[in-house]
């Protein structure tokens, strides 16, 4: 059994918390929202035991990593700076990055800005940065005129912060369930404009679920109760700013080796990347190495199907290491 160590550092102006385990080539695991480093708890040990140095940070403004109050501090340049600073702090020239949601988009952005710092990317659920002629917050506002849209709900300063800070346990429990294979997440779009996120989400069966215990949920509830939700929401509030940054590499392909793991009941693959997104991988990545799809899993795949997700990651890491990522 490999021990996990909690570490703290000053990186890019932030007080950063990360979990570290193992020795060997570096693998960095990046979470999105409503996640924390803890969402990789099933993967950290096995990857470390396979001969890798694993680091899973709490991302900017979430968990025990500090975050500025201003949304503009969550743009691409700041996030890329966080990752470069993390590599420098760890004394590593490059790493394999694996991510989900905002964490994966951060890895994509790093690949466009500093491909020399990435050995490979293992993407979960989000196969590429979806091109858009329209700023994402404008698109969300237009959609919110027809039905509930969580991105639009998050944007008004103070509104979602207040609602979620007042009921973190109810919100996280409902959202984790809604994003799993036990619910069809896009059904939240059936709710009318003006609905709060908590009211748009489904009621849940009592815990424990097959993939989540009460104690595990409480870890997230306690963390977000300490930090509040503003830091996480600022990632959404900076989406137009990030969209502007990404115009500089729109149409270019990710230049580093790319592996993909998706789940057959993922809300993002269904609703946010266009029709048949997996057929378009070669349009967005220069070097697509392998693709795996996991059955009977939703967007919470690392927790819903930890053995299958970890096995795919380990196979990609092992074959990549053997080939020297060349």
């Amino acid at each position: 059994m490999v021990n996990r160590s909690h570490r703290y550092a000053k990186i890019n102006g932030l007080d950063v918390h990360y979990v570290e385990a193992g020795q060997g080539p570096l693998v960095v695991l990046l979470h999105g929202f409503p996640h924390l480093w803890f969402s990789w708890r099933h993967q950290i040990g096995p990857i470390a035991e396979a001969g890798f140095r694993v680091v899973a940070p709490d991302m900017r403004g979430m968990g025990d990593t500090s975050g500025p109050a201003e949304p503009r501090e969550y743009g691409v340049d700041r996030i890329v700076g966080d990752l470069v600073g993390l590599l420098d702090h760890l004394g590593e020239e490059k790493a394999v990055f694996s991510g989900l949601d905002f964490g994966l988009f951060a890895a994509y952005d790093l690949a466009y800005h500093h491909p020399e710092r990435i050995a490979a990317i293992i993407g979960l659920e989000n196969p590429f940065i979806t091109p858009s002629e329209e700023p994402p917050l404008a698109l969300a506002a237009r959609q919110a005129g027809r039905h509930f849209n969580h991105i639009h709900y998050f944007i008004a300063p103070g509104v979602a912060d207040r609602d979620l800070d007042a009921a973190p346990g109810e919100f996280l429990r409902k959202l984790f369930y809604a994003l799993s294979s036990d619910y069809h997440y896009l059904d939240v779009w059936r709710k009318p404009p003006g609905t709060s996120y908590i009211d748009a989400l489904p009621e849940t069966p009592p815990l424990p679920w097959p993939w989540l215990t009460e104690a595990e949920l409480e870890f997230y509830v306690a963390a977000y109760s300490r930090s509040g939700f503003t830091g996480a929401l600022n990632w959404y509030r900076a989406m137009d700013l990030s969209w502007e940054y990404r115009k500089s590499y729109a149409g270019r392909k990710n230049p580093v080796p790319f592996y993909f793991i998706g789940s057959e009941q993922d809300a993002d693959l269904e609703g946010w990347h266009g029709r048949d997104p997996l057929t378009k991988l070669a349009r967005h990545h220069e070097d697509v190495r392998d693709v795996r799809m996991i059955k009977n899993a939703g967007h919470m795949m690392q927790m819903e199907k930890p053995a299958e997700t970890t096995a795919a990651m380990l196979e990609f890491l092992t074959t990549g290491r053997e080939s020297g990522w060349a």
Side-chain angles (χ1 to χ4, degrees), residues 14-37:
L14 303 177
D15 296 315
V16 174
H17 165 252
Y18 62 94
V19 170
E20 182 175 12
Q23 295 180 337
L26 179 61
V27 179
V28 179
L29 307 177
L30 304 176
H31 70 82
F33 177 72
H35 297 277
L36 302 163
W37 76 266

Side-chain angles (χ1 to χ4, degrees), residues 102 107 259:
F102 284 126
Y259 301 81

Side-chain angles (χ1 to χ4, degrees), residues 7 23 35 76 86 97 118 121 123 127 157 162 166 172 184 189 210 237 241-242 285 296:
R7 305 196 187 282
Q23 295 180 337
H35 297 277
V76 166
L86 177 64
F97 284 85
I118 302 187
I121 293 174
R162 178 198 63 222
L172 291 167
H184 181 240
W189 288 356
R237 293 165 180 163
L241 179 61
S242 295
H285 305 281
N296 302 316

Side-chain angles (χ1 to χ4, degrees), residues 70-76 79 102 136-137 155 231-246:
E70 290 297 322
R72 66 176 177 269
E73 297 297 324
Y74 293 76
V76 166
I79 305 305
F102 284 126
L137 299 186
I155 299 312
L233 299 180
N234 279 343
W235 287 72
Y236 293 89
R237 293 165 180 163
M239 287 176 73
D240 279 2
L241 179 61
S242 295
W243 177 79
E244 289 286 348
Y245 276 111
R246 289 169 181 150

Side-chain angles (χ1 to χ4, degrees), residues 161-178:
D161 319 53
R162 178 198 63 222
D163 292 348
L164 305 187
D165 287 348
E170 181 182 9
F171 171 66
L172 291 167
R173 172 174 48 82
K174 286 183 171 183
L175 184 56
F176 276 32
Y177 178 77

Side-chain angles (χ1 to χ4, degrees), residues 35 39-43 46 124-125 179-182 209-212 216 261-266 292-314:
H35 297 277
S39 294
W40 300 103
R41 61 192 177 277
H42 300 297
Q43 286 73 47
L124 273 61
E125 306 289 32
L179 288 169
S180 77
S181 61
D182 294 320
W209 306 332
W211 56 275
L212 189 72
E216 288 170 331
I261 308 171
S263 58
E264 293 186 346
Q265 292 161 272
D266 177 49
R292 298 294 167 83
M293 292 298 292
I294 295 176
K295 297 180 179 179
N296 302 316
H299 197 64
M300 314 302 280
M301 60 188 296
Q302 308 114 293
M303 294 181 276
E304 291 180 80
K305 295 292 181 180
E308 293 88 338
T309 302
T310 305
M313 294 178 72
L314 283 172

